[in-house]
Structure formats: C-alpha cells, structure tokens
Amino acid sequence: MSTTLAWMDRVFAAYWPPVLAALVLFWAYSVITRALAIWAGHEVAFKDPKPARTAKSGASGSMAWAVIKWLVLAVVLACATGYGLFLLLGRPSLPARNAFTTTELLDLLKIGLAVVGGLGAVVALSVAYRKQQVSEAAHVIANDQELREHDKFFNERYGSAAEQLGHERFAVRLAGVYAMTGLADDWPAGRQMCVNVLCGYLRTPYPQNDSTDREVRQEIIKTLLDHVWGHSPQGRPIRMDFRKVQFEDLDLSRRKFSAEMDFEEAVFHGKLTNFTECDFTGVVNFYGATFASEVTSFAGSDFRGAIANFQRAQFIGKTVDFTETNIVSSGLSFEEARVVDGATVSFRGTRAQATSISFENAVMRKAELNFSTVLFMPPDERKFQSRINLRQIAAVGTTITFQDSKINDAVLEFNRAELRDCTINGDRLVLNNTDVLVRDVRPAEAAEALRELSRIVRKAPAPEPAAISASCVWCSPA
C-alpha cells in the first residue's frame, strides 16, 4: 500500500507543474487574443452562458492558423510528457557527449526523426481535419440552399393555388381546389395552412343563386373529408375549421369524427343532412349550429368516450334522428337548445351506458322529444350513473315520450321544468333503481303526474330479475 501511494505521489509531483503551466498558457492566450482584437478595433463576441443546443458545423479562420494551433498543441503535449517522464525517473543526468556509442547515437537520431515525423503527421492530420470541416460547412450551406429552394417552390405553388381560388371563372376556381389539395398532399409542413385556406373559402358568404360556386363548395367539402392526412409534422391532428359554414344536403355518413372537426355555428340545410353510422370520439363541437334540413340523421352512430356539444343549437327542421345509436361513456349536451316549429328529436331504440343526455334550459315549441324503446344499461365498472336531464326546460305543446323504454340505475330529472300543454307518455316504461326527480315543476298538473310516476317506482318491490313496470300518460288541459 505504501509503495502504491509513493508511486502516486511521484506521478502527481511529476505532472502537476506541466498541467498547471498548460492551463496558465491557455488562459494567457485567450486574454491576449481578446485584448489584441479589442485594441485593433474588432468586435469581440462573448460566449452566451446558455448557448444554443444545436449549431451549424463549419470552419473559420485560415488553414495556416489551424496548422499552427495543432503544432503548438502537439509540442506542448510532447514537452509535458517528456518532462513528466524526466521527473518520474528521478531527474537522471545525461552522460557526456563522448560517452555515447555509435549505436546509441543512431538510436538518438531515430528518436529525433520520429519526433519530426510525428510533427509531420500532426500537420497532415490538421490539414485533413480542416478539409473535413470545410466539407461539412459546404454540405450545410448546400442543405440550407436546397431547403430555401424547396420552400420557395411550395410558396409559389401556394400563391398560384390561392389566386386560382379567388378567380371569377368557375373552372379556374375548381382547378384551384385541386391545386391546393395536391399541395397539401405534397407539403406536410404547410398542410394545415392549405386546409385553413379551403375552410376559409367555405366561410365566405353563401351563394344563393350561383350553382357553380355551390359546386365548388361541395367539391371542397368532399375533398377535405375524403382525405386522411393524420397528423402534422408537429404531431398535432389536422384541424378542419367549419365554423359558420353553410352546408347544403351534406353527406358525412360512415365517417369518424373527433376534436379536429369544428362545426360551431354552422348551418345545415337542404333535404337531408346525413351523419348516419358515424363514429364519434373526443369532443365534437356543434355549439350554436342550426339544423334546418328536413331530416338530420345520426341514426346508427356510435358515441364512445365522446362529448357531443349541441349547446344553443337550433333544431327547426322536421326530424333530428338519433334512432338506434350506441352511446357509451359519453355526454350529449343540448343545453339551451331550441327545438321549435314541429321539430322532432328522436332517440328511439338507443342503447346507452354511463351516459348523460342533457336538455337543461332547452326551449321546445310544438315539438317532440322521443325516448321510446330506449335501453339504459347498469353502470360500468367505474360506477358512472346514467342521467337524462330535463331540468329547467321550457316546453309548450310538446310531447315527451318514454314508451316501452327500460332505464336501469339512472336518474331522470325534471326539476324546475315548465311543461305547458304538454304530453308526457310513460306507457309501459320500465324503471329499475332509477330516481325520478320532480321539484318546482309547473303547472301543478304536470308536477302531480310526474310525482305519481315517481311514487309508483319507489313503492314497487325490487326486481329479481323482472323489472319494475310503471306507466303515466298525462295531458294538460287545453
């Protein structure tokens, strides 16, 4: 152990002077070069304490200066190594010149030539390294130039397509649709921008008497919805902004809808707006939309883990059809919606679990809300109880139907509802572990009918496996 420590002391004693000298020389070199640059009037760039993570590779300075730096570094290292060995060997004294034999002189000559050869190798390596730096710098410049040309090419295509979309002639505008779509296919970095331009065209004032412009709009809608672009280079889904767009006879059947499609305040008109057999996930926004088509169909669609936002929507067509939909772990919000002019919102045959359907604060005039033959299944493993919320609705001359439905482990809430000249049909309604909440309902006849339905349910024995059956049909007096 003592021998090892003694050897380490000798190594430390041998090398700390040259290492310290090298550090001092490096510091002095840095200070002197900066002082000379400032004295000569040059700008000196001080290093950022938080430098950028990436920097372009390249070469700076002259070739001669690069070779000199490497030679100086090699000489310093050689001197430090030789001096360290000299100290490590106990500072041996060299013999007199006459004491060397011919063989020893030849060996010394070989050592000298080896040192010279080493310095030459250092020069060759420094030149090769310098050439590699220059080559890398040229490669970086070439890549930058290629990227600039690439972006310039796409920007020119973008400008041309946008100009075509604004042209007066129908054929040119239609060509602009195809040009912008093709650019979106070829340009992932600008794909969202191209989609935004096409959606922006749809938000311009709707042409009432221009069939050609309606055809251009239909082609834009078809082109956008038929493309599957996935995600942008930043990892975000391509968003289609259809806010305030007017759609005529829109057919979006058998498609998937999620947060990348926004129909806020859109207007759907014509004979049929078709969302049949679609898959809805995430947040799908129909906030403030107007459904004026004769038939708006969501029949056979699946809502799984979805939040469908129909808040403040207006239903003024004949039928909004949600028949035979599957709604699982989802929420359909029709809060503050308006169902008027004889419109029907139908959930007939719907299958639901862990679901909330809310018409809170909705306004219904001579309308129909149809929950007949629906099946609400017991909660899933998360114990989320289903809920049909008709709280604070204002209904006049409206029919609300629960005929032949089976509702398990749910809540039906009518608190503070106003039901004037309405019909509530609960014929053959089957309720199992379901609470019917009735408080401050007006008029009194409607409140009493709903309380009677609630009392029938609460007084019935628990099912074993048969379900509890209750019926309540009430019409307010004219």
Side-chain angles (χ1 to χ4, degrees):
M1 183 68 178
S2 59
T3 305
T4 303
L5 293 175
W7 180 81
M8 291 177 65
D9 291 339
R10 292 177 62 189
V11 172
F12 179 75
Y15 277 98
W16 77 263
V19 170
L20 181 60
L23 293 175
V24 172
L25 287 174
F26 179 76
W27 176 79
Y29 166 78
S30 300
V31 172
I32 291 171
T33 53
R34 285 179 179 273
L36 291 175
I38 295 173
W39 178 73
H42 299 298
E43 293 185 0
V44 178
F46 293 92
K47 290 185 178 180
D48 190 345
K50 294 182 178 179
R53 294 184 179 180
T54 57
K56 294 182 179 179
S57 60
S60 59
S62 64
M63 176 73 76
W65 179 240
V67 172
I68 291 172
K69 287 192 293 185
W70 283 104
L71 280 175
V72 170
L73 179 61
V75 170
V76 170
L77 289 176
C79 292
T81 302
Y83 182 71
L85 291 174
F86 174 72
L87 296 178
L88 187 63
L89 295 175
R91 302 175 183 267
S93 57
L94 295 176
R97 183 176 60 182
N98 296 331
F100 286 104
T101 64
T102 303
T103 302
E104 292 173 340
L105 290 174
L106 291 175
D107 291 337
L108 290 175
L109 181 61
K110 291 179 182 179
I111 293 173
L113 293 175
V115 172
V116 174
L119 294 176
V122 170
V123 173
L125 287 174
S126 63
V127 171
Y129 179 66
R130 176 69 176 185
K131 288 181 177 180
Q132 178 64 26
Q133 284 185 309
V134 172
S135 177
E136 290 178 357
H139 180 68
V140 170
I141 293 172
N143 283 341
D144 289 344
Q145 182 65 26
E146 183 179 356
L147 288 175
R148 284 193 293 270
E149 292 296 329
H150 191 263
D151 291 340
K152 180 181 178 181
F153 171 70
F154 282 127
N155 286 325
E156 290 175 352
R157 286 181 59 184
Y158 174 79
S160 176
E163 185 177 355
Q164 287 178 306
L165 283 173
H167 203 274
E168 295 180 355
R169 295 175 55 191
F170 157 72
V172 178
R173 293 201 303 273
L174 196 60
V177 174
Y178 298 135
M180 190 65 74
T181 306
L183 178 60
D185 288 332
D186 299 337
W187 191 19
R191 184 168 295 158
Q192 183 64 69
M193 182 170 60
C194 297
V195 172
N196 290 344
V197 170
L198 294 173
C199 292
Y201 186 96
L202 295 176
R203 286 194 295 274
T204 58
Y206 189 79
Q208 298 297 334
N209 301 314
D210 188 349
S211 60
T212 59
D213 194 44
R214 288 202 298 271
E215 186 174 343
V216 172
R217 290 168 180 267
Q218 292 295 331
E219 191 60 33
I220 290 175
I221 295 168
K222 179 178 179 295
T223 300
L224 286 175
L225 297 175
D226 284 346
H227 271 73
V228 181
W229 280 311
H231 292 72
S232 66
Q234 293 76 26
R236 294 188 294 268
I238 298 300
R239 183 174 181 270
M240 297 183 186
D241 187 353
F242 296 122
R243 291 177 298 171
K244 299 183 179 181
V245 173
Q246 293 195 42
F247 298 97
E248 183 177 4
D249 292 323
L250 181 64
D251 185 0
L252 299 179
S253 58
R254 299 178 181 85
R255 299 180 187 275
K256 293 184 177 181
F257 290 86
S258 57
E260 65 267 18
M261 291 186 182
D262 189 354
F263 295 94
E264 181 176 335
E265 297 186 12
V267 178
F268 302 90
H269 58 93
K271 292 184 178 180
L272 173 65
T273 296
N274 193 0
F275 289 92
T276 59
E277 299 182 13
C278 291
D279 292 332
F280 292 88
T281 59
V283 180
V284 185
N285 188 23
F286 292 94
Y287 180 90
T290 300
F291 295 88
S293 299
E294 292 183 17
V295 177
T296 300
S297 178
F298 291 84
S301 294
D302 282 344
F303 294 83
R304 295 185 181 273
I307 298 177
N309 182 11
F310 293 91
Q311 293 181 13
R312 296 194 175 184
Q314 296 191 64
F315 301 94
I316 58 178
K318 290 184 178 180
T319 303
V320 179
D321 190 2
F322 287 88
T323 61
E324 297 184 358
T325 54
N326 296 308
I327 311 176
V328 179
S329 300
S330 299
L332 275 64
S333 176
F334 298 86
E335 296 177 3
E336 300 183 48
R338 293 176 57 85
V339 186
V340 296
D341 299 333
T344 296
V345 179
S346 176
F347 290 89
R348 183 173 52 83
T350 290
R351 302 292 182 267
Q353 183 183 40
T355 290
S356 172
I357 301 176
S358 176
F359 282 85
E360 183 172 347
N361 289 312
V363 176
M364 298 183 181
R365 297 285 187 271
K366 298 181 180 179
E368 180 180 355
L369 184 58
N370 189 345
F371 286 99
S372 63
T373 66
V374 301
L375 172 62
F376 275 73
M377 293 174 285
D380 57 8
E381 62 277 3
R382 291 176 295 177
K383 307 300 182 184
F384 182 83
Q385 193 175 33
S386 295
R387 192 179 194 93
I388 298 177
N389 184 7
L390 301 177
R391 186 172 182 267
Q392 290 184 291
I393 66 169
V396 177
T398 296
T399 300
I400 302 175
T401 302
F402 293 95
Q403 185 175 352
D404 295 314
S405 295
K406 297 180 181 179
I407 302 178
N408 299 284
D409 297 281
V411 175
L412 270 65
E413 182 175 358
F414 295 88
N415 291 340
R416 300 176 66 183
E418 184 174 350
L419 307 171
R420 297 189 180 276
D421 299 325
C422 293
T423 299
I424 301 176
N425 187 350
D427 190 26
R428 295 181 299 278
L429 170 63
V430 178
L431 299 174
N432 183 13
N433 292 331
T434 295
D435 295 325
V436 181
L437 305 181
V438 181
R439 189 178 71 247
D440 299 330
V441 174
R442 295 179 298 173
E445 294 86 351
E448 183 59 31
L450 292 173
R451 289 193 186 97
E452 182 63 25
L453 175 61
S454 178
R455 283 194 292 268
I456 292 173
V457 173
R458 288 171 181 165
K459 291 179 180 179
E464 184 66 25
I468 298 173
S469 179
S471 176
C472 176
V473 182
W474 167 76
C475 298
S476 67

